[in-house]
Amino acid sequence: VTKDFARKASGLIDDHNDFKGVLAGVGALGSAIADLWAKEYWGEWTFIDPDYIKTHNIIRHIAKDLHVGVFKADVVKQMVEMNYYPYYHIANAIHDSITNIGNSKVIESITAAALLVDATTTLDSPRNLSQMDQIPRSVSVFLTPSGRSAVLLLEDAERSMRLDDLEAQYYRAIINSDWGKDHLEGHHGQLWVGAGCRDVSAVISNESIQLHAATLARQIRLLTVKPESFIRVWSANSETGVIALEELTVYNSLCFKRGDWEVIMDIDLQERLGKMRMYHLPNETGGVIVGYIDQKLKHIYVVDILNAPADSEADRTGFTRGVSG
């Protein structure tokens, strides 16, 4: 099987198949995505992950029992290369965190890549990557705790919208949408997989991993040829097999520097704040700002704004926020 045949058989007929990419996080989801892309021969990939295969990983990872104790990045490199005859399909593996900028191999791989895919399932990785100007266009993918939903956050080609900007807008959609009510509900339980206090694994079927990996792999391949940024959420009905898509509107981001800190919001919130202010003129007003703080980055992310409680008191010179509701 040749590269051209693999692509033709997979329906890859455009000119966006030869590029260098970095896949950070090759756990259950990342390894499944890597294998799908290898079968299609889409891109030339470097896998970055500091973890190694543990016994329980075999249930959902593309690794086999003989790989227990081997670095995940090495395992995925070996498995995807085995799809073709020896030395025809070459991948690279780095045993480290994607955010370790002190590792020259990590930096060299990132700067040489045209696309960076974050499947680390951590909060710090996409936020830290967002602060780096030398990296390529990035996309973050992950599953919700129950394994029922998959999420994609894709930067635009110019990286005017970074992953941390998209994260905040994703949270606003969760708290304002009907689908968000049970979107982040807990997983189906936990399993003790070792003696340590953190040796816990969630209960998620490999069926869910494979289902969402296929969706995300295809969507990344199709959406990265477009210049705009995307936030998409897929939710699967475990009984019927129906998958529902939520396409979220992405608003341009705004950043305000205040000393060592940065306040980050978007133009939709700015417009809503302006309307709220104009509505109450000439009186003062004061609603509630909802968001979160990243102490490491010294960023304050504004997610949403709420109207002032109904029992608030306001006049031209002052405002006292009420407590109703």
Side-chain angles (χ1 to χ4, degrees):
V1 176
T2 65
K3 175 173 62 176
D4 291 339
F5 181 83
R7 291 173 177 174
K8 184 177 181 180
S10 302
L12 277 62
I13 57 176
D14 54 42
D15 299 323
H16 303 281
N17 302 317
D18 285 308
F19 64 93
K20 291 182 180 295
V22 169
L23 176 55
V26 284
L29 179 63
S31 68
I33 290 175
D35 194 45
L36 287 164
W37 285 337
K39 293 275 191 179
E40 299 171 330
Y41 217 121
W42 188 64
E44 179 182 322
W45 293 91
T46 295
F47 306 125
I48 302 180
D49 196 309
D51 201 6
Y52 61 91
I53 296 295
K54 303 177 183 69
T55 306
H56 70 278
N57 293 138
I58 305 303
I59 306 304
R60 293 185 290 264
H61 200 277
I62 66 170
K64 309 303 179 184
D65 181 73
L66 60 89
H67 292 126
V68 172
V70 181
F71 281 109
K72 289 180 178 178
D74 285 337
V75 171
V76 176
K77 167 182 166 61
Q78 176 189 3
M79 295 297 286
V80 300
E81 288 179 347
M82 287 175 61
N83 287 315
Y84 299 89
Y85 60 84
Y87 307 110
Y88 184 72
H89 184 279
I90 303 298
N92 299 303
I94 300 175
H95 325 131
D96 207 339
S97 170
I98 186 65
T99 58
N100 184 10
I101 58 176
N103 187 331
S104 60
K105 292 183 178 179
V106 172
I107 292 300
E108 290 170 4
S109 297
I110 291 176
T111 55
L115 178 66
L116 192 158
V117 179
D118 167 58
T120 61
T121 70
T122 65
L123 286 173
D124 60 308
S125 290
R127 291 183 190 176
N128 289 343
L129 292 170
S130 298
Q131 315 312 309
M132 301 168 62
D133 294 329
Q134 69 270 38
I135 71 173
R137 185 184 191 181
S138 302
V139 54
S140 182
V141 293
F142 54 92
L143 305 187
T144 55
S146 66
R148 188 177 65 247
S149 299
V151 181
L152 176 146
L153 311 177
L154 173 63
E155 297 177 344
D156 61 285
E158 300 298 323
R159 299 196 73 217
S160 60
M161 292 294 296
R162 303 286 176 95
L163 292 179
D164 61 334
D165 301 322
L166 301 174
E167 179 189 356
Q169 296 188 37
Y170 160 63
Y171 293 151
R172 180 158 79 251
I174 292 175
I175 62 178
N176 284 292
S177 304
D178 289 338
W179 58 265
K181 294 177 181 178
D182 58 359
H183 177 66
L184 293 177
E185 70 179 7
H187 44 68
H188 299 297
Q190 294 180 333
L191 295 175
W192 290 97
V193 297
C197 61
R198 297 182 63 190
D199 291 340
V200 177
S201 181
V203 176
I204 299 176
S205 73
N206 191 41
E207 298 163 343
S208 295
I209 298 294
Q210 296 297 321
L211 173 70
H212 292 304
T215 298
L216 292 169
R218 182 177 179 84
Q219 288 293 300
I220 292 172
R221 181 171 62 79
L222 295 178
L223 295 180
T224 48
V225 301
K226 301 180 180 181
E228 61 265 41
S229 53
F230 291 90
I231 304 176
R232 287 186 173 181
V233 178
W234 295 269
S235 299
N237 185 310
S238 59
E239 299 297 327
T240 65
V242 172
I243 299 178
L245 167 66
E246 301 295 339
E247 177 88 58
L248 310 187
T249 301
V250 178
Y251 299 97
N252 290 333
S253 183
L254 302 169
C255 180
F256 305 94
K257 291 185 178 295
R258 294 294 183 268
D260 294 334
W261 287 78
E262 294 182 9
V263 179
I264 298 169
M265 58 185 295
D266 59 70
I267 59 173
D268 179 55
L269 287 179
Q270 184 185 50
E271 182 178 348
R272 288 169 55 193
L273 280 167
K275 289 180 179 179
M276 185 183 296
R277 179 75 190 98
M278 293 298 295
Y279 178 79
H280 290 93
L281 285 175
N283 291 338
E284 294 287 337
T285 188
V288 180
I289 297 177
V290 181
Y292 54 97
I293 297 173
D294 190 307
Q295 298 281 1
K296 178 182 177 182
L297 299 179
K298 292 190 174 181
H299 284 182
I300 299 174
Y301 295 91
V302 181
V303 171
D304 205 0
I305 52 174
L306 310 178
N307 288 317
D311 59 340
S312 300
E313 299 177 2
D315 55 32
R316 288 172 175 265
T317 60
F319 174 85
T320 302
R321 187 165 59 224
V323 297
S324 176

